[in-house]
Amino acid sequence: MKYSQCVAEETQGSHSENKVWKWHIQDPASQRLTWNKPPKSVLVIKKIRDASLLQPFKELCVFLTEVKNLIVYVEKKVLDDPAISDDETFATITKKFCTFREDLDDISNRVDFIICLGGDGTLLYASSLFQESVPPVVAFHLGSLGFLTPFKFDTYQSQVTQIIEGNAAIVLRMRLQVQVLKENWEKNGMVDEKGMILTSKDTGRSHKAMQYQVLNEVVVDRGPSSYLSNVDLFLDGHLITTVQGD
């Protein structure tokens, strides 16, 4: 979903009570990426163990580190791929990488922008890594689906250069916030990295709240339960409908 900025302009008629409103919708193509200071770090995301992405990944990383002098962040599990870890000629580049582990290391304040190599799934995965604001993302279409990945990799050098220089159009997308509450009969529950415990004063029960930010869609799965699930759908605090299903 694209953001559109509407500006209301009030014009007066012959009488003060006669007002005409004109709405100007900003063209999304006119929104440009601007930097307060030149970017210094980039997160490169690729699909794990996809042989077709190895050469583009290596080419891109050499360009980012050797030509653009950027700090490159890569997931540790990407570098654990034998096709990368056993490549001695690429080892001089991987030694310069900053690595992180999903769900364990927080890099939200360390990355200036993101480069995705793959299809739409890779972009959705990149969004899931950032549960607050997401850095600008440039997605190169190297996967099976490319609805959200408009860039062609054969022009990656010029595209990346334009982004670093702040000469690129941007499209702002809204995300969904999902909160799942689970009943917990223990009053003193453990609080994990993504959740919190909410205790009801009346019943003594507690609810574990799991909150996520997602880009595209939400799937509600009943898991191992053999019963149908009832899902109440609210919009801005108002109940819209109740859906029963498996």
Side-chain angles (χ1 to χ4, degrees), residues 65-66 70-72 91-98:
T65 56
E66 298 294 314
L70 290 173
I71 300 172
V72 177
T92 56
I93 300 299
T94 58
K95 289 180 180 178
K96 300 179 181 180
F97 289 164
C98 293

Side-chain angles (χ1 to χ4, degrees), residues 72-190:
V72 177
Y73 282 82
V74 178
E75 285 184 281
K76 186 179 183 302
K77 60 185 178 181
V78 171
L79 299 186
D80 289 339
D81 187 342
I84 296 177
S85 59
D86 296 342
D87 187 345
E88 296 181 357
T89 59
F90 192 58
T92 56
I93 300 299
T94 58
K95 289 180 180 178
K96 300 179 181 180
F97 289 164
C98 293
T99 60
F100 71 99
R101 294 162 298 175
E102 179 190 1
D103 293 334
L104 293 177
D105 301 317
D106 183 11
I107 60 170
S108 57
N109 294 323
R110 304 180 189 176
V111 174
D112 292 322
F113 68 102
I114 304 170
I115 296 179
C116 291
L117 302 178
D120 289 352
T122 308
L123 178 57
L124 295 176
Y125 173 70
S127 173
S128 70
L129 293 176
F130 296 85
Q131 287 303 297
E132 295 182 0
S133 61
V134 182
V137 181
V138 52
F140 291 100
H141 183 200
L142 291 169
S144 54
L145 293 178
F147 297 107
L148 301 173
T149 53
F151 295 98
K152 301 297 183 182
F153 187 75
D154 54 1
T155 60
Y156 78 90
Q157 293 189 7
S158 61
Q159 297 287 358
V160 172
T161 299
Q162 289 181 8
I163 291 169
I164 294 174
E165 294 176 350
N167 183 25
I170 61 172
V171 175
L172 301 178
R173 294 186 179 273
M174 297 179 64
R175 294 204 297 174
L176 300 173
Q177 184 183 81
V178 182
Q179 188 178 71
V180 181
L181 300 178
K182 292 185 178 181
E183 281 194 350
N184 187 344
W185 291 96
E186 297 180 2
K187 293 184 179 181
N188 297 321
M190 296 298 293

